[in-house]
Amino acid sequence: MTRAFVFPGQGSQAVGMGQELAQSHAVAREVFQEVDEALSQNLSKLMFEGPIEELTLTENAQPALMAVSMAVVRVLEKDGNMDLAKVAKYVAGHSLGEYSALTAAGALELADAARLLKARGQAMQAAVPVGVGAMAALLGLDIGPVEEVVAEAKEKSTNDEIVVAANDNADGQVVLSGHKGAVEAAIEIATAKGAKKAMLLPVSAPFHCPLMQPAADAMAERLAEVVIAPPRVPLIANVTAGEVSDPDTIRKLLVEQVTGRVRWRESVLYMGEQGVEELVEMGSGKVLSTMVRRINRAMSGSAVGTPADIDAFLAKL
């Protein structure tokens, strides 16, 4: 079985995330402690106990999701004697999950990843005043028709407002991002074009669009200060949907990722073309693993996030 390890993005956070792992595995507790120390914050307590409103804040959700993903990977490696490079052909992550993927593959140190994601969350939140931007999910339209929707919405905009396809997640599942007025106009156009559902998302900022340029600039500065090593297996990058192992290219793509499209559908298709048969989602939730078959029916998906999941996965190896 040829596998890729994939790592979830924002939206997969939940109160209690990682708690069962911490109770059953010392190595998971060590991961959470290291992240807490790197951030000078009791993030693990927030993860275990909530409140959800505080956990969902971008600056908390991003390092928290990475921490749970890394706790799973470390338990597999240290307690399960798994060699990631022998089990996974690629790593990939959805948006912030790209940092989790790089950490799992040894390109980033855990503490550096935690600090980068904290900074990334703060910078993304600060880039656009609340209420100026918005994101919307379009269900039932593929990326081609969505590009037509975006073009029409831009034409109707009176103030050169921005709207782009920010996440190409799967066939019939695309997310828009940009100025609130332009996104709302796009929702109306998409509905008229036959979208099954077109709705604003409860997010705090318009991610993965040009409005995030101040955050991209901030991340360029932060990433320049961090050592990035060649990953033990190639990364499938969000903005190119192709593989990358060169540290300088990885650094550049992480900056571009802040304003660029998450090309997840294309990334999964590429991995399938390279012989990957199963995507294994490491961490909180099952968003990516349940989406797999909508993109490539020949590929399977599984999620590893609890001690029981870890035991079941190790038994398959």
Side-chain angles (χ1 to χ4, degrees):
M1 175 74 74
T2 304
R3 299 179 177 90
F5 287 177
V6 297
F7 297 83
Q10 205 161 331
S12 290
Q13 67 276 359
V15 172
M17 59 194 284
Q19 189 166 18
E20 200 179 348
L21 284 169
Q23 290 168 344
S24 60
H25 293 277
V27 67
R29 293 194 294 276
E30 290 166 10
V31 168
F32 298 140
Q33 183 177 348
E34 186 175 345
V35 170
D36 286 352
E37 290 173 358
L39 300 180
S40 300
Q41 175 189 4
N42 196 344
L43 184 64
S44 57
K45 184 174 190 291
L46 179 59
M47 289 157 53
F48 300 162
E49 302 176 13
I52 187 61
E53 295 78 15
E54 192 175 342
L55 178 60
T56 299
L57 291 176
T58 304
E59 66 176 82
N60 292 327
Q62 294 200 21
L65 285 161
M66 184 278 298
V68 176
S69 290
M70 280 309 302
V72 171
V73 170
R74 292 274 173 88
V75 170
L76 285 167
E77 289 180 324
K78 294 193 175 179
D79 293 351
N81 296 314
M82 182 197 76
D83 183 342
L84 182 145
K86 290 181 179 177
V87 176
K89 183 172 183 176
Y90 299 112
V91 292
H94 193 283
S95 191
L96 82 90
E98 199 153 82
Y99 286 79
S100 309
L102 288 165
T103 309
L108 285 172
E109 294 292 336
L110 177 63
D112 286 337
R115 287 188 286 261
L116 284 169
L117 285 171
K118 185 79 172 178
R120 183 177 182 269
Q122 291 170 335
M124 291 170 89
Q125 189 61 63
V128 182
V130 173
V132 171
M135 297 185 78
L138 303 184
L139 303 182
L141 292 181
D142 294 343
I143 190 66
V146 170
E147 294 283 22
E148 295 173 12
V149 167
V150 165
E152 284 188 40
K154 285 178 180 174
E155 279 181 24
K156 289 188 175 182
S157 170
T158 53
N159 303 312
D160 293 325
E161 288 191 330
I162 287 168
V163 58
V164 300
N167 297 1
D168 179 10
N169 286 331
D171 295 319
Q173 186 177 331
V174 181
V175 175
L176 302 181
S177 184
H179 285 105
K180 191 166 189 283
V183 171
E184 289 174 337
I187 287 175
E188 287 186 23
I189 295 164
T191 301
K193 284 184 177 291
K196 291 178 184 174
K197 190 175 280 189
M199 57 192 176
L200 288 172
L201 294 174
V203 296
S204 54
F207 305 134
H208 298 292
C209 82
L211 293 174
M212 286 285 114
Q213 189 58 50
D217 295 340
M219 289 312 295
E221 290 182 18
R222 295 301 294 261
L223 283 158
E225 301 166 353
V226 172
V227 173
I228 299 179
R232 295 168 59 209
V233 299
L235 171 78
I236 306 301
N238 280 187
V239 294
T240 63
E243 56 189 275
V244 58
S245 292
D246 174 66
D248 289 337
T249 307
I250 289 170
R251 197 186 315 270
K252 173 174 163 285
L253 293 176
L254 286 174
V255 175
E256 291 180 13
Q257 186 226 56
V258 179
T259 56
R261 180 181 298 173
V262 177
R263 295 169 62 183
W264 189 254
R265 178 185 59 84
E266 293 171 86
S267 297
V268 173
L269 289 174
Y270 176 82
M271 287 186 275
E273 289 165 4
Q274 305 310 308
V276 172
E277 300 162 279
E278 182 183 29
L279 294 192
V280 185
E281 185 170 8
M282 297 284 172
S284 178
K286 300 180 179 180
V287 171
L288 302 180
S289 51
T290 55
M291 216 187 311
V292 171
R293 290 183 67 79
R294 292 185 59 183
I295 302 170
N296 182 347
R297 295 193 65 79
M299 194 182 286
S300 64
S302 60
V304 182
T306 66
D309 293 338
I310 288 170
D311 290 342
F313 181 69
L314 289 171
K316 289 197 302 184
L317 295 183

